[in-house]
Amino acid sequence: MSRVGKRNRERRQQKQASQRAKARAREQRRAASPLAAIQQLILEGVDARLDGNLEEYGRAVKVLAELGGAVGTVLFDLLQMAAGGAWERGWQPADLVRHTGREFDARRVRMLVDAMAAAMRPFAAATVDERWTAQLVAAGAKVWWERDDAYLDGWREREGVDEQTAVGCALDVLSVLDVLPVLPELCPPPGQARGGSLGVTSNRLVDARKLDRVRALLAKAESTSFPEEAEAFTAKAQELMARHSIDYALLSESRRDEPLGRRLGVDNPYEAPKALLLDAVASANRCRSVWTQMYGFATVLGFPPDLDAVELLYTSLLVQATAAMTYQGSRTDAAGRSRTRSFRQAFLTAYAHRIRQRLADATGAAVAEASSGPGRGELVPLLTAREDAVDKATKSMFPQVVGKSMPVSNREGWIAGVAAADAASLGIRGELS
């Protein structure tokens, strides 16, 4: 036998011996403690999922589904613990829903939401920040099952799937939660809310009905095909939000308010120019935006009414930009090769740059008009101080953040993007006249 053949045979023998040793170890653990064996098999399945070893992952799913019994209880206990562990690492409910939805389908997201609902049960309402509660309500988190040991069977019946699918979904959710990094804490997790952090919504003087009016106006502006009508709707929205932000700044001057943070999704396709657009909107509203590309979100720091303005205006402008970009259709070069992606990348980048200019002008006009009224001479220094506080908070939370430029290779897309930005309705900050 040749040396190569001998080495190959030795490798096969070593691999077979290793597989037999692992199988014996699993059997020994199973015999020593059934629950420990189940937990070990679950962890092996999660590790295989993360390593991309679908054969080992499938084996773990199959064995767990066949075992039944306590498997459902152990899986659900681990899901609750994993959700709580993610919260301790700075992830909020909305973050987990968004991230899991990027990795998997809506079925896995629903299981995650159930795990979060279960993980909330030990906490008294008085120890939970209102922002946290609002995110759970938006996700539809509620305990609909009677007993935890019957959860997986109930979930399987509700989803109309078999045992292996249910177990696989649980392992998938655990694999997402297992490798989450630590994020900056934007609000206290359950059980850690202090008296001063309670009632955030009411303390920040937000009028929910006013925000609902703004949303309704923007929805009408986005849906109408008549530019004059859209401008009328958005002008009213601009007036409401600008007035609200200025009133908040004046009324809260005597309090020691601090900037807050909010994470907004920035997803593909064309995520880089979308992040530029969000940064433009944030800057115009005295906020700062830091994009975390790997996880598809940006952290926006600012005072509460300005954060509301950023979220509403960014969403509206993104809808308008997408509609205008789609209307432009596809593009090809002289050789018939597709240039659609570079065109749209340039389009959205130019759109973001031009919107930055328009918003800066509109915000300056709004502040100038508001500060010219009687008794408003202190408004500009006050707004400047608040913007400085946001800068300080951003540097403290993200000390190593760096800016990046984005090259543009499609001149036609850039010109079209500027034109679309000039035609866009500015939904929050704008002329008050």
Side-chain angles (χ1 to χ4, degrees):
M1 179 180 295
S2 66
R3 291 183 179 179
V4 174
K6 186 176 181 180
R7 283 199 298 269
N8 289 339
R9 186 183 67 178
E10 290 174 350
R11 291 194 187 99
R12 287 196 299 270
Q13 291 174 341
Q14 290 172 356
K15 183 178 180 180
Q16 292 169 355
S18 175
Q19 291 174 342
R20 288 194 296 270
K22 289 181 180 179
R24 285 195 299 270
R26 284 195 294 266
E27 292 301 323
Q28 290 172 357
R29 287 192 294 267
R30 186 176 300 173
S33 171
L35 288 180
I38 291 172
Q39 290 180 343
Q40 182 63 32
L41 188 56
I42 290 171
L43 295 178
E44 289 174 1
V46 170
D47 288 342
R49 188 69 161 110
L50 292 171
D51 293 339
N53 187 343
L54 298 184
E55 181 179 353
E56 185 68 16
Y57 165 79
R59 184 196 69 81
V61 169
K62 186 171 184 284
V63 173
L64 288 167
E66 291 173 349
L67 286 175
V71 169
T73 303
V74 176
L75 275 171
F76 197 52
D77 286 344
L78 290 175
L79 283 168
Q80 295 178 63
M81 292 171 57
W87 294 344
E88 292 175 358
R89 297 197 296 277
W91 290 73
Q92 297 179 15
D95 303 327
L96 295 179
V97 169
R98 184 191 310 112
H99 182 60
T100 304
R102 283 165 55 90
E103 297 292 322
F104 293 110
D105 59 13
R107 181 173 287 159
R108 271 80 172 170
V109 172
R110 289 193 290 271
M111 183 175 283
L112 165 74
V113 171
D114 288 345
M116 293 194 295
M120 286 296 299
R121 289 177 299 191
F123 303 106
T127 66
V128 181
D129 191 284
E130 287 187 5
R131 289 165 290 179
W132 201 276
T133 302
Q135 292 182 25
L136 289 168
V137 170
K142 61 180 179 180
V143 177
W144 52 266
W145 59 96
E146 294 183 0
R147 304 191 327 269
D148 283 5
D149 60 355
Y151 167 77
L152 200 63
D153 287 337
W155 185 88
R156 178 177 59 80
E157 293 175 4
R158 192 174 74 161
E159 295 287 332
V161 298
D162 58 20
E163 290 84 349
Q164 287 195 33
T165 301
V167 171
C169 286
L171 293 185
D172 291 346
V173 175
L174 285 171
S175 71
V176 169
L177 300 178
D178 187 60
V179 293
L180 295 176
V182 175
L183 296 181
E185 187 177 281
L186 300 184
C187 77
Q192 297 184 25
R194 302 181 301 275
S197 66
L198 299 177
V200 171
T201 303
S202 58
N203 283 346
R204 74 183 193 179
L205 307 176
V206 167
D207 186 339
R209 288 174 298 179
K210 184 180 294 183
L211 293 182
D212 287 341
R213 289 178 61 194
V214 170
R215 293 187 184 97
L217 288 166
L218 290 176
K220 292 178 180 179
E222 293 158 12
S223 62
T224 182
S225 58
F226 300 101
E228 296 82 3
E229 191 176 48
E231 185 61 32
F233 288 135
T234 52
K236 185 61 178 176
Q238 293 165 17
E239 179 183 351
L240 287 173
M241 286 304 296
R243 188 178 299 161
H244 173 62
S245 178
I246 292 170
D247 289 346
Y248 175 86
L250 293 170
L251 291 172
S252 62
E253 183 179 8
S254 61
R255 301 202 310 267
R256 292 179 174 270
D257 282 7
E258 298 292 336
L260 303 177
R262 189 176 300 178
R263 296 189 185 103
L264 302 179
V266 181
D267 290 314
N268 268 322
Y270 315 113
E271 56 185 354
K274 289 177 183 177
L276 281 178
L277 178 61
L278 177 55
D279 183 71
V281 176
S283 296
N285 288 279
R286 292 178 293 278
C287 295
R288 297 295 176 264
S289 175
V290 179
W291 179 33
T292 305
Q293 182 177 6
M294 180 180 296
Y295 294 101
F297 64 75
T299 305
V300 182
L301 295 166
F303 287 88
D306 300 321
L307 292 176
D308 291 332
V310 170
E311 184 169 5
L312 290 170
L313 179 55
Y314 170 67
T315 302
S316 179
L317 288 173
L318 192 57
V319 169
Q320 296 181 54
T322 302
M325 179 184 70
T326 305
Y327 179 78
Q328 293 287 329
S330 59
R331 290 291 191 278
T332 57
D333 63 12
R337 293 170 297 190
S338 175
R339 294 275 290 166
T340 300
R341 182 169 182 81
S342 66
F343 174 85
R344 292 183 171 181
Q345 188 91 2
F347 181 100
L348 290 176
T349 302
Y351 185 94
H353 280 282
R354 181 57 182 145
I355 285 294
R356 183 185 297 275
Q357 297 170 353
R358 290 193 63 197
L359 287 175
D361 293 343
T363 302
V367 172
E369 180 174 340
S371 60
S372 64
R376 293 294 183 94
E378 76 281 11
L379 178 59
V380 172
L382 175 60
L383 295 178
T384 301
R386 294 168 76 82
E387 193 165 1
D388 291 342
V390 173
D391 287 336
K392 183 177 179 181
T394 305
K395 291 177 182 178
S396 175
M397 189 174 291
F398 301 99
Q400 297 180 333
V401 69
V402 295
K404 293 177 64 176
S405 60
M406 187 171 63
V408 173
S409 60
N410 193 301
R411 182 173 180 271
E412 182 187 11
W414 180 276
I415 294 172
V418 170
D422 284 336
S425 298
L426 303 185
I428 303 299
R429 305 288 187 195
E431 303 84 350
L432 296 180
S433 57

